[in-house]
Amino acid sequence: MEAKLFGKTLTELQELVVELGLPKFTARQIADWLYKKNISSIDEMTNLSKKAREVLNEQFELGLIAPTKVQESIDGTKKYLFQTVQHKFVETAMIPERDRRTVCVSSQVGCKMGCLFCFTAKQGFQGQLTAGEIVNQIKSIVEADEVSNIVYMGMGEPFDNLDEVLKSIEILTSEWGFAMSPRRITVSTIGIIPGMLTFLENSEAHLAVSLHTPFNEERRKLMPVEVAYPIEDVVAEIKRWDFGRQRRVSFEYIVFEGLNDSQEHVKELANLLSGLKCRINLIRFHPVPGTPLKSPDDATIQRFKDELNKKGILTTIRASRGQDIYAACGLLSTKELVKN
Ligand code: SF4
């Protein structure tokens, strides 16, 4: 299999052109074709010399991968299925809103983290995605030129694939790449502290943390990661960073019926997050086959939201999108993968 150009940083392209005996400025030209323009072959890089294109063609392919399948929800949300180099599948969701097009990307094939409420967890871990495969999920969809926001909330735990995730953010935010503002990118984690700290130091993108309950024992049952990285340690680290100006931190909170929506939860959340400028996004749980967890009704979620707001925690309810095609962000379905 030939190596891929798409997914390389400018530094990597500079090293590559030197190795191939091409002029150094060729690296920027290649980056331009890869990330700012729409081409489907190396031959279309028309400002490169014929020799440069020949040399590149001998050893490389462009590396863009078209989706193998797309499904559209009645609300306009789309779910794309991409094949990886290891012949596995990952899902990408495109969520249209009035003035935005948000793409929810996967960072791994499957996941190791074993969260009780998650479809992807049931698939187990099947492999890492490269930076190229992550960015391809943005570049190779029909809406590529309209994407306004990116969330790393699809399959996998981004900080369990830290190097490739950081590289993908570099490609998206560098002036030689997509030149996107990091303020339009949010990376969501279940709270892997070492990876989270490296991310906070090396990127300016927003952070989202899956919280789901402030109580350790309860959280351990929902999310095994709590054993290694208790939520109070995660929040203590976050409080050391400067959030609330340009960079935001938010907490994702899936509401399960009768499990994490009591007065005690409100009180403990207020304690845990005191002094931190942040937001909680409440997400209604949608039942996953094989789990005992249940979906709450609208009134319960609304009451929980009002109580948190009364405690001074900015809280919103995230609308469920793409429900009919199982594109609920962060809970992407493995149904398609089983069928394929
Ligand atoms: S919720 Fe996220 S971290 Fe947990 S198993 Fe699912 S994909 Fe992995």
Side-chain angles (χ1 to χ4, degrees):
M1 197 195 320
E2 282 163 334
K4 295 177 190 317
L5 288 178
F6 192 82
K8 292 202 183 294
T9 61
L10 182 62
T11 310
E12 288 171 330
L13 290 171
Q14 281 164 342
E15 286 163 8
L16 182 149
V17 295
V18 169
E19 266 170 45
L20 296 175
L22 299 172
K24 209 167 170 202
F25 63 79
T26 317
R28 270 197 176 258
Q29 293 176 316
I30 298 172
D32 223 51
W33 286 108
L34 292 174
Y35 305 125
K36 295 194 194 299
K37 295 178 177 156
N38 295 316
I39 55 167
S40 53
S41 74
I42 291 171
D43 291 327
E44 288 171 64
M45 298 182 178
T46 46
N47 60 352
L48 267 62
S49 67
K50 193 158 177 278
K51 181 193 158 222
R53 278 178 273 155
E54 274 168 15
V55 171
L56 285 172
N57 263 320
E58 275 164 23
Q59 295 187 36
F60 293 93
E61 59 183 357
L62 195 61
L64 283 166
I65 307 157
T68 47
K69 192 172 174 182
V70 55
Q71 279 177 286
E72 186 164 356
S73 158
I74 42 170
D75 68 16
T77 300
K78 282 188 181 174
K79 186 171 72 175
Y80 288 93
L81 198 65
F82 286 99
Q83 191 164 24
T84 70
V85 280
Q86 303 156 326
H87 304 292
K88 307 271 166 72
F89 290 94
V90 289
E91 292 178 359
T92 306
M94 193 289 299
I95 305 135
E97 289 159 293
R98 218 177 313 149
D99 51 350
R100 291 174 170 211
R101 297 280 178 277
T102 300
V103 177
C104 175
V105 295
S106 294
S107 55
Q108 297 181 305
V109 192
C111 188
K112 297 173 196 163
M113 299 299 151
C115 302
L116 184 65
F117 46 83
C118 174
F119 267 127
T120 303
K122 303 204 177 310
Q123 191 185 332
F125 178 70
Q126 301 194 37
Q128 301 288 22
L129 292 185
T130 62
E133 287 173 323
I134 296 171
V135 180
N136 181 67
Q137 295 171 59
I138 297 148
K139 184 74 180 171
S140 291
I141 61 173
V142 175
E143 299 77 10
D145 293 334
E146 301 159 34
V147 173
S148 60
N149 297 74
I150 296 165
V151 293
Y152 286 67
M153 291 188 184
M155 291 177 162
E157 161 55 47
F159 299 156
D160 190 40
N161 188 14
L162 185 65
D163 291 348
E164 296 301 311
V165 164
L166 288 178
K167 200 168 137 183
S168 67
I169 296 173
E170 184 187 346
I171 295 168
L172 291 169
T173 57
S174 296
E175 52 64 47
W176 50 261
F178 285 68
M180 276 185 86
S181 163
R183 312 299 180 199
R184 296 200 279 141
I185 300 174
T186 302
V187 180
S188 175
T189 180
I190 54 170
I192 298 186
I193 293 175
M196 183 178 82
L197 297 181
T198 308
F199 161 78
L200 289 172
E201 275 160 26
N202 291 285
S203 138
E204 290 180 24
H206 301 307
L207 177 71
V209 177
S210 302
L211 207 168
H212 309 329
T213 172
F215 294 112
N216 301 119
E217 209 167 306
E218 221 166 64
R219 197 164 183 269
R220 270 200 294 270
K221 286 186 196 147
L222 292 172
M223 307 163 76
V225 72
E226 172 72 19
V227 177
Y229 303 116
I231 190 63
E232 66 271 21
D233 293 357
V234 176
V235 173
E237 289 294 347
I238 290 172
K239 283 183 178 172
R240 293 175 39 232
W241 289 81
D242 183 20
F243 282 106
R245 291 176 199 200
Q246 297 240 314
R247 190 177 208 184
R248 290 195 303 264
V249 60
S250 56
F251 293 89
E252 308 294 302
Y253 198 100
I254 303 178
V255 185
F256 305 100
E257 188 200 70
L259 193 143
N260 59 352
D261 55 2
S262 72
Q263 273 300 328
E264 283 70 42
H265 288 89
V266 173
K267 239 191 270 167
E268 195 56 30
L269 282 169
N271 277 341
L272 180 70
L273 302 178
S274 71
L276 183 65
K277 189 152 188 265
C278 64
R279 167 196 296 260
I280 293 186
N281 290 316
L282 299 180
I283 305 159
R284 175 205 290 273
F285 175 65
H286 293 284
V288 177
T291 70
L293 303 163
K294 292 198 188 104
S295 183
D297 57 27
D298 287 347
T300 305
I301 300 190
Q302 189 60 43
R303 177 192 46 78
F304 194 57
K305 177 193 150 187
D306 293 344
E307 284 168 0
L308 285 165
N309 276 326
K310 256 189 254 159
K311 285 273 183 196
I313 307 175
L314 179 63
T315 307
T316 52
I317 299 172
R318 163 110 52 82
S320 293
R321 301 291 304 268
Q323 198 54 42
D324 52 326
I325 56 166
Y326 297 90
C329 224
L331 299 167
L332 291 172
S333 163
T334 54
K335 270 195 167 184
E336 285 308 315
L337 316 187
V338 175
K339 269 195 251 162
N340 272 276

